[in-house]
């Protein structure tokens, strides 16, 4: 049972435009959500997180939106840069479980 | 500030052997989690340790085990290796409170022949 789903395996965006990566979850106990970026031959790098008490969190070019009723979160990257080309993972956790469930990733390609 | 260090980076074993992977967390971090990454499967949670105690584990067979030492360093052991155990094994550390970001090492690539 895949509790965290990233239904788009890949996404291509022109440099300077907005990249929107989506993630859906099924477990209503999840209350903390994260996005990671992964380059080949490196471990995932933490990008941004959001608690379920918020519906938006911003950090520079990265904004995460959380829609609890739809059990959906998205990562917006504006403007997209070629260096953003990587695999992006969303992850979720429930308070007190110390366990993070990851999606299968979306490969973003930013075209120059 | 040094990041999470995993050793070795690459490992080749044969079926039936056992293997031990090592993870040194970021200084001050007391929680260490292990994940298995295979193509198309994302990161699958193996287990999490805090202050030498396993607080949670994923749905992996008993051949997969781990431990944490008093200095927070952690090891993961896989016994009786199978071809399907070929994967990237990632370690992540955090301070240990719930709902905190984890920081990952670059992983150990394990290949089973």
């Amino acid at each position: 049972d895949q509790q965290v789903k990233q239904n788009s395996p890949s996404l291509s965006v022109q440099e300077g435009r907005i990249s929107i990566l989506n993630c859906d979850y099924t477990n209503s106990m999840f209350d903390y959500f994260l996005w990671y970026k992964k380059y080949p031959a490196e471990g995932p790098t933490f990008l941004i997180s959001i608690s379920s008490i918020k519906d938006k969190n911003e950090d520079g070019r990265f904004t995460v939106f959380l829609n609890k009723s739809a059990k959906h979160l998205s990562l917006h990257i504006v403007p997209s840069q070629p260096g953003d080309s990587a695999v992006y993972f969303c992850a979720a956790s429930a308070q007190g479980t110390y366990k993070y469930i990851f999606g299968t990733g979306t490969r973003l390609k930013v075209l120059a | 500030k040094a990041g999470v260090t995993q050793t070795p980076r690459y490992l080749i074993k044969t079926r039936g052997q056992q293997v031990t992977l090592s993870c040194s967390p970021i200084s001050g971090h007391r929680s260490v989690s292990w994940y298995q990454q295979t193509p198309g499967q994302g990161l699958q949670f193996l287990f999490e340790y805090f202050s030498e105690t396993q607080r949670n584990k994923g749905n992996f067979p008993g051949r997969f085990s781990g431990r944490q030492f008093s200095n927070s360093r952690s090891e993961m052991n896989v016994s009786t290796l199978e071809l399907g155990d070929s994967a990237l094994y990632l370690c992540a550390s955090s301070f240990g409170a719930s709902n905190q970001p984890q920081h990952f090492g670059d992983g150990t690539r394990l290949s089973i022949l």
Side-chain angles (χ1 to χ4, degrees):
Chain A
D1 176 31
Q2 190 71 26
Q3 298 183 66
V4 177
K5 298 178 185 178
Q6 293 178 256
N7 293 317
S8 299
S10 63
L11 175 69
S12 291
V13 171
Q14 284 295 133
E15 180 180 7
R17 304 296 292 268
I18 183 172
S19 295
I20 300 176
L21 296 102
N22 295 303
C23 180
D24 297 296
Y25 62 96
T26 57
N27 189 338
S28 58
M29 297 301 292
F30 288 150
D31 59 358
Y32 184 64
F33 305 88
L34 312 91
W35 284 94
Y36 285 85
K37 175 172 73 174
K38 187 179 186 302
Y39 293 121
E42 294 183 12
T45 300
F46 169 69
L47 277 175
I48 192 169
S49 64
I50 187 167
S51 165
S52 61
I53 62 173
K54 293 184 171 183
D55 53 18
K56 177 183 174 182
N57 190 27
E58 259 181 287
D59 185 0
R61 296 186 299 115
F62 302 92
T63 302
V64 56
F65 295 91
L66 176 62
N67 182 332
K68 289 184 289 293
S69 60
K71 294 191 178 65
H72 177 84
L73 66 154
S74 60
L75 175 68
H76 292 208
I77 306 174
V78 185
S80 300
Q81 300 172 353
D84 296 329
S85 297
V87 177
Y88 289 77
F89 292 96
C90 65
S93 177
Q95 177 77 25
T97 64
Y98 311 106
K99 177 178 178 178
Y100 294 77
I101 307 299
F102 281 75
T104 51
T106 296
R107 184 177 301 276
L108 173 66
K109 190 170 184 179
V110 179
L111 307 169
Chain B
K1 185 175 178 179
V4 177
T5 303
Q6 291 188 246
T7 56
R9 287 295 311 276
Y10 302 93
L11 206 48
I12 300 175
K13 292 285 188 178
T14 56
R15 280 181 299 173
Q17 287 186 309
Q18 72 162 12
V19 67
T20 299
L21 311 182
S22 179
C23 173
S24 293
I26 291 171
S27 178
H29 284 186
R30 295 170 63 192
S31 167
V32 173
S33 296
W34 289 90
Y35 295 85
Q36 181 195 66
Q37 185 185 15
T38 53
Q41 290 295 313
L43 280 72
Q44 303 290 313
F45 174 78
L46 280 155
F47 27 66
E48 188 264 358
Y49 287 89
F50 179 81
S51 291
E52 303 177 66
T53 299
Q54 186 182 88
R55 293 194 295 191
N56 207 336
K57 64 189 296 282
N59 298 323
F60 279 82
R63 300 185 297 106
F64 291 81
S65 64
R67 60 178 176 167
Q68 187 181 33
F69 303 95
S70 58
N71 62 357
S72 295
R73 190 178 70 86
S74 177
E75 288 182 347
M76 189 190 91
N77 184 273
V78 188
S79 62
T80 319
L81 286 164
E82 300 177 359
L83 291 177
D85 297 333
S86 294
L88 179 67
Y89 290 88
L90 291 159
C91 164
S93 75
S94 73
F95 288 107
S98 199
N99 292 357
Q100 281 186 334
Q102 297 181 319
H103 300 274
F104 283 83
D106 287 336
T108 294
R109 172 75 62 185
L110 175 63
S111 298
I112 311 302
L113 303 179

